[in-house]
Amino acid sequence: MNRLFRASLLLCTLALSACGFHLRQSAALPTSMQRMHLTVSGAGSLQRDLARALEDSGVTIEDQGGEGIAELKIPVAAFSTDTLSVSGGARVTEYSVHYQVRFEVDDSNGQSLVAQQRIDMSRDFSYDALNTVGTDAQVEEIRRSLNDDMVQAILFRLQAAGRHSMAEPAAASSAG
């Protein structure tokens, strides 16, 4: 029995590693982004969740900009809702919740570390005219989910930009 349990545990572990599954990890950001000041339009949960994720990645969040402090600016962070379908009785049956964020990162001298980028995400959901309370809770949960996904998307882009900027000097020195 013990042998069978170990074999099945090993098989499950191998299957998970083979499919590419990995737990979410913190982002490896370059040294130019190790101290950062956040400016988020509308603040709210995006600023709080992004600050927490950056701190988990080893970034020190500063209250103000200054020498050696990168500036992560998010001038646009907006949700919107669109109607997807309408029933024969002219009642809305499906909605789509959209989330658009634009961001950029500058160093302490105003030089661009990450040029302005735009990320758009959306989720669709069915609307039940008989259960409007459930619908409000559903929309709120979709917004939370989109916010979590947006934080991860921003971190991935910051990490990719850091890898790209570290690869440029290495390519230039090997070409010279």
Side-chain angles (χ1 to χ4, degrees):
M1 180 71 173
N2 192 17
R3 212 177 177 128
L4 180 62
F5 176 74
R6 286 184 182 178
S8 62
L9 183 63
L10 178 64
L11 183 63
C12 289
T13 303
L14 290 173
L16 277 176
S17 65
C19 75
F21 173 79
H22 298 285
L23 293 173
R24 283 188 178 174
Q25 299 175 353
S26 58
L29 300 179
T31 55
S32 60
M33 294 184 205
Q34 291 304 305
R35 293 178 64 206
M36 194 174 291
H37 175 252
L38 298 177
T39 305
V40 180
S41 173
S45 61
L46 178 63
Q47 182 168 356
R48 182 183 59 247
D49 295 346
L50 188 55
R52 186 177 306 131
L54 287 167
E55 287 172 341
D56 289 346
S57 297
V59 173
T60 302
I61 302 299
E62 303 289 348
D63 292 333
Q64 295 183 3
E67 186 64 32
I69 300 173
E71 179 78 28
L72 172 56
K73 296 182 258 184
I74 302 178
V76 175
F79 284 101
S80 62
T81 306
D82 291 331
T83 301
L84 291 179
S85 63
V86 179
S87 71
R91 292 188 179 191
V92 176
T93 57
E94 287 183 305
Y95 280 107
S96 181
V97 177
H98 301 277
Y99 192 24
Q100 181 190 103
V101 170
R102 292 184 191 185
F103 73 96
E104 63 185 315
V105 180
D106 295 336
D107 66 12
S108 59
N109 299 322
Q111 298 295 319
S112 178
L113 295 174
V114 178
Q116 189 174 84
Q117 298 186 22
R118 175 179 162 170
I119 303 174
D120 292 298
M121 295 182 174
S122 66
R123 299 279 191 288
D124 302 339
F125 73 98
S126 298
Y127 175 74
D128 183 0
L130 302 176
N131 186 10
T132 57
V133 173
T135 301
D136 290 340
Q138 188 176 7
V139 169
E140 190 57 38
E141 184 57 36
I142 289 170
R143 286 183 173 200
R144 271 194 292 273
S145 173
L146 284 170
N147 192 66
D148 292 345
D149 291 348
M150 188 62 72
V151 167
Q152 288 301 310
I154 291 170
L155 286 177
F156 289 148
R157 291 201 183 184
L158 293 178
Q159 183 174 337
R163 285 183 184 157
H164 179 72
S165 66
M166 290 172 17
E168 285 178 356
S173 65
S174 65

